[in-house]
Amino acid sequence: MTAPLLEMRAISKRFPGVLALDRVSFDLQPGEIHALVGENGAGKSTLMNVLGGVYPHGTYDGEIVMRGEARRFDGVRAAENAGIAVVHQELSLIPEFSIAENIFLGREPRRLGIIQSEDLFSRAQKVLDQLHLQLEPHIPVENLGIGQQHLVEIAKALARNATILVLDEPTAALTDTEADVLFGILRQLRESGAGIIYISHKLEEVLRLADRITVLRDGRTVSTDASGALDTQNLIARMVGREVAEIFPVSTRKPGEAVFEAQGVVVEDPSVPGKLLVEDASFSVRRGEVLGIAGLVGAGRSDLMMALFGAHPGRTAGKFFADGSPVQIDQPSDAIAAGIGFATEDRKRYGIFLDQTIVENLTLAALKRLSGAVVTHPDAETAAGQRSMKELRIKARSVFTIAGTLSGGNQQKVVLAKWMLTNPKVLFLDEPTRGIDVGAKHEIYRQIDRLAAEGLAIVLVSSELPEILGLSDRILVLHEGRITGRFSREEATAEGVMACATGQARISGRAVQST
């Protein structure tokens, strides 16, 4: 019988006051895609950091065995030399460098110490061709979209000719087309005999792609099964340690009057004169309502949200009304003054300061209201932060915990709590559950339902169609910057929404024609 490509035997890893991994075992066969799933904090990243040499031998208990031979890595380079390539969720590219320079960084072809540029670009082109990426290897990475940058990061790993490839949330920033390309590459690698460890919160994706699935919970191995023996519901139950009967809250909300209205919003691409990102978008959202905005990546959803918040330089037209009165929104401070909050798609870039405390993040947008225009009042800020932590069930030792040490779900709760302290009438949520685990998602869903039930008007943008269908009272669909569909909760179906999102139909339900 062929020896496993990889065995991680009884791995334990301690941090001060925390047992992050408790005798975790994991194995990988040649030519296998083995998924590793669990809630944030379950130990997935810690286990992969042990494998990848981030935590050197001697800092953990247990054993790593490759093809029957015990291995000890004293650092990342040693793991790479053994044929292990780890693609982390956070990019490690140098923006100013070209694609080719990033792919072969530290391993450039040289002659007499001089980098051979022609050979470098030729090798990079071969890797790009393997990924079916229509990109020139000399292009600086900073000129690429975030999805293309992630594919370059994967190309960088593939160029090492690794026999074990670890992918952590590889499709989080990819379009459906880019994800399909990636899946094709992974299947080719599997056929060549490589082993792939696949970490993702997208359970449908995991079930479709993986051969086996291992579940971690609280630093322990819960189970390892063939993917065909599992479905989404029992996989979720293993991850969270309980049965999940209802993914989305059962809504009993009764929306009231319109509190915000946008008319004729037009957004141009600042870098391409004349190209419209949003064309003549009009809608309203009512008190106590969740208005979902659906559409494929690139449809203009985030551009529309940024434009409404006064944060998009390409907005060329649009009228706005709050509680029936016209308001001028030219910058984010105008939107906040009009009672609008905005949790952006990229929370780590625009929504939260990772190196500051929870209380500093929570009170940032509402500082004048909490402390006055001139002098700050730390006691008032701390009290407000403590109330917010309790209301949104933010798991942390205190309000003085550094935000960057929190899980993704708790960071997202901090972002929500920050805007709630501004006492908004309308809250824009752009991809509020991106990159967080299934347990945290359920908590965010509960908070969205609670806030709407208390009278807040919520505009929800999400790439996950079940999320839109499960949370929204009404749904707007964007396709290439235009609103192509309007549905009430009762009228909305997955097929109807997708028909509008792909430009195959234009639908205006009877219940929502006026908005």
Side-chain angles (χ1 to χ4, degrees):
M1 182 176 177
T2 304
L5 181 60
L6 169 72
E7 292 178 272
M8 301 185 74
R9 300 173 178 171
I11 303 294
S12 295
K13 173 63 180 174
R14 293 181 180 275
F15 297 101
V18 178
L19 179 60
L21 296 174
D22 185 4
R23 296 183 60 80
V24 172
S25 293
F26 179 89
D27 69 273
L28 181 68
Q29 300 294 328
E32 178 185 39
I33 299 176
H34 192 155
L36 186 62
V37 301
E39 295 187 80
N40 285 341
K44 306 184 300 295
S45 295
T46 303
L47 185 65
M48 292 303 100
N49 283 335
V50 168
L51 176 62
V54 175
Y55 302 133
H57 180 77
T59 65
Y60 62 87
D61 296 324
E63 188 176 32
I64 296 174
V65 178
M66 294 180 65
R67 295 193 184 279
E69 179 185 351
R71 306 299 296 263
R72 299 180 175 184
F73 305 135
D74 58 8
V76 173
R77 182 57 61 90
E80 290 178 350
N81 291 339
I84 298 168
V86 182
V87 180
H88 298 281
Q89 190 173 0
E90 302 297 329
L91 297 176
S92 61
L93 304 175
I94 300 177
E96 298 83 5
F97 282 19
S98 70
I99 293 173
E101 289 168 327
N102 272 284
I103 289 176
F104 290 100
L105 187 65
R107 299 177 297 110
E108 301 90 346
R110 298 172 182 266
R111 183 177 299 167
L112 301 177
I114 299 173
I115 295 175
Q116 302 299 297
S117 297
E118 186 174 341
D119 191 14
L120 173 70
F121 290 122
S122 175
R123 293 187 187 186
Q125 188 64 62
K126 290 179 180 178
V127 178
L128 295 173
D129 290 343
Q130 182 185 7
L131 279 170
H132 304 288
L133 286 176
Q134 302 299 315
L135 296 172
E136 296 293 334
H138 66 272
I139 295 174
V141 163
E142 62 187 353
N143 292 350
L144 304 178
I146 187 66
Q148 291 176 320
Q149 289 184 24
H150 274 268
L151 288 175
V152 170
E153 187 78 69
I154 292 167
K156 181 178 174 182
L158 292 178
R160 299 183 194 131
N161 295 317
T163 56
I164 297 174
L165 178 64
V166 181
L167 298 175
D168 189 356
E169 297 289 348
T171 64
L174 302 187
T175 66
D176 290 342
T177 300
E178 290 168 337
D180 287 340
V181 169
L182 173 62
F183 296 158
I185 293 299
L186 296 184
R187 292 186 181 105
Q188 290 176 18
L189 289 173
R190 176 172 59 186
E191 291 172 3
S192 72
I196 298 159
I197 301 173
Y198 195 88
I199 301 172
S200 178
H201 292 310
K202 298 181 179 181
L203 300 186
E204 294 83 359
E205 180 178 286
V206 165
L207 288 165
R208 176 161 54 98
L209 186 66
D211 300 297
R212 286 190 297 159
I213 302 172
T214 289
V215 178
L216 296 187
R217 185 173 71 241
D218 298 330
R220 298 183 178 92
T221 306
V222 174
S223 63
T224 297
D225 295 280
S227 58
L230 300 168
D231 60 26
T232 302
Q233 285 299 99
N234 55 41
L235 193 54
I236 290 173
R238 294 183 186 194
M239 290 169 62
V240 301
R242 61 185 185 277
E243 293 295 332
V244 183
E246 288 290 340
I247 295 178
F248 300 102
V250 178
S251 173
T252 57
R253 299 186 299 266
K254 293 182 179 179
E257 70 282 4
V259 294
F260 178 78
E261 183 177 359
Q263 295 181 356
V265 179
V266 178
V267 181
E268 289 189 1
D269 187 336
S271 62
V272 184
K275 178 183 178 181
L276 295 184
L277 302 176
V278 178
E279 184 176 349
D280 194 26
S282 299
F283 69 91
S284 66
V285 58
R286 297 172 290 178
R287 193 178 309 279
E289 176 182 49
V290 177
L291 176 67
I293 298 186
L296 303 179
V297 173
R301 298 166 304 167
S302 295
D303 295 296
L304 176 59
M305 293 297 98
M306 296 286 279
L308 298 177
F309 198 65
H312 201 301
R315 195 187 80 201
T316 60
K319 295 181 180 180
F320 308 106
F321 301 85
D323 290 324
S325 300
V327 291
Q328 189 76 20
I329 301 177
D330 295 322
Q331 53 192 353
S333 59
D334 296 335
I336 295 171
I340 300 171
F342 182 21
T344 62
E345 178 182 18
D346 189 344
R347 67 173 176 267
K348 291 186 177 180
R349 185 176 179 185
Y350 298 117
I352 195 169
F353 290 102
L354 296 175
D355 59 349
Q356 294 188 12
T357 65
I358 292 174
V359 69
E360 288 170 328
N361 275 282
L362 288 177
T363 59
L364 188 62
L367 204 54
K368 288 185 179 180
R369 188 171 71 85
L370 293 171
S371 290
V374 179
V375 180
T376 62
H377 298 286
D379 290 344
E381 293 177 42
T382 300
Q386 290 172 336
R387 288 195 300 272
S388 294
M389 281 187 64
K390 184 177 180 180
E391 287 177 1
L392 271 81
R393 300 184 182 181
I394 298 170
K395 295 180 181 178
R397 287 189 176 182
S398 76
V399 293
F400 302 110
T401 299
I402 299 299
T405 66
L406 302 178
S407 68
N410 282 298
Q411 288 179 11
Q412 189 64 42
K413 290 180 189 178
V414 170
V415 175
L416 290 178
K418 175 184 73 174
W419 288 112
M420 293 312 301
L421 282 176
T422 67
N423 196 26
K425 299 175 182 177
V426 184
L427 182 61
F428 299 158
L429 300 177
D430 193 355
E431 303 286 3
T433 65
R434 172 169 288 173
I436 64 177
D437 65 70
V438 65
K441 280 186 177 183
H442 292 168
E443 183 62 23
I444 295 295
Y445 296 158
R446 194 190 72 82
Q447 295 295 344
I448 290 173
D449 184 67
R450 178 183 68 83
L451 293 171
E454 292 175 356
L456 185 65
I458 296 175
V459 180
L460 170 68
V461 172
S462 176
S463 297
E464 298 191 26
L465 188 52
E467 202 165 88
I468 288 287
L469 294 170
L471 293 173
S472 304
D473 298 292
R474 288 186 298 134
I475 298 171
L476 304 182
V477 187
L478 285 179
H479 171 69
E480 294 183 350
R482 298 181 180 182
I483 295 178
T484 55
R486 299 175 185 266
F487 299 86
S488 67
R489 176 189 287 270
E490 296 74 21
E491 295 166 328
T493 64
E495 295 78 10
V497 171
M498 283 305 298
C500 295
T502 56
Q504 303 302 308
R506 293 181 67 92
I507 299 175
S508 182
R510 292 184 299 278
V512 294
Q513 283 182 345
S514 62
T515 58

